[in-house]
Amino acid sequence: MGVPVSVSAQAIAEAVGREMFARDHASQAMGMQLDEIRPGYARMSMSVRRDMLNGHEICHGGYIFSLADSTFAFACNSYNFNSVAQMANITFVAAGRLDDRLTAVAVEQTAGGRTGVYDVAVTRQDGQVIALFRGNSYRIKGEVVADLSKAP
């Protein structure tokens, strides 16, 4: 028996991403994909479907918020500490349209103690910013994946 070896921060983030996404039925139902995850960072994408359009024939803001919120969740849980949203707000700056491919990128701005602040930019396939989201996270008890910080 050897001395336990620590798992890298990137390996932890990837394991958390796999486990969380497997359990995230809401994001899956909306057609979201987890494209990349790193400590304090996540990138997700989804295509705008007809059932996501509102009465103006543009993507309903709730779907855009959901993409940003899910991406925020993956970024703030990437350290394997259970974290939930404490507060979030969004500014819509352009419309998403049928068949657009939306990508959200969440970046940690600060984290310490039990709280963190994350900014998320949602863009279309042409690079146009659709929305800007800021979320505050709060760490609760437990880990996303039990005993992940220790190698077997």
Side-chain angles (χ1 to χ4, degrees):
M1 291 218 288
V3 175
V5 177
S6 293
V7 177
S8 76
Q10 180 60 33
I12 289 171
E14 290 171 5
V16 166
R18 282 189 304 275
E19 181 70 21
M20 275 187 63
F21 194 77
R23 299 185 310 218
D24 188 347
H25 304 291
S27 294
Q28 290 178 42
M30 286 182 264
M32 292 181 201
Q33 294 178 318
L34 177 61
D35 301 317
E36 184 180 2
I37 189 166
R38 301 190 306 251
Y41 172 96
R43 181 171 41 89
M44 296 183 78
S45 58
M46 76 175 188
S47 293
V48 178
R49 304 181 313 234
R50 182 163 303 284
D51 64 333
M52 296 175 170
L53 301 180
N54 64 18
H56 298 292
E57 294 284 317
I58 58 176
C59 187
H60 190 289
Y63 287 103
I64 296 168
F65 186 95
S66 292
L67 175 62
D69 185 47
S70 289
T71 308
F72 157 62
F74 280 89
C76 68
N77 280 277
S78 62
Y79 299 104
N80 199 33
F81 300 112
N82 283 333
S83 298
V84 295
Q86 183 178 39
M87 186 281 301
N89 62 52
I90 193 165
T91 302
F92 299 104
V93 296
R97 303 201 181 278
L98 181 63
D99 297 326
D100 275 349
R101 185 72 179 168
L102 303 183
T103 300
V105 174
V107 178
E108 180 181 281
Q109 299 304 309
T110 184
R114 295 176 72 114
T115 63
V117 177
Y118 294 78
D119 286 335
V120 184
V122 180
T123 58
R124 287 194 303 242
Q125 66 278 356
D126 62 2
Q128 171 70 47
V129 174
I130 298 296
L132 298 170
F133 170 108
R134 174 161 275 191
N136 294 35
S137 65
Y138 185 77
R139 287 186 180 169
I140 59 175
K141 290 182 181 179
E143 298 174 312
V144 178
V145 181
D147 299 321
L148 183 60
S149 61
K150 298 180 181 105

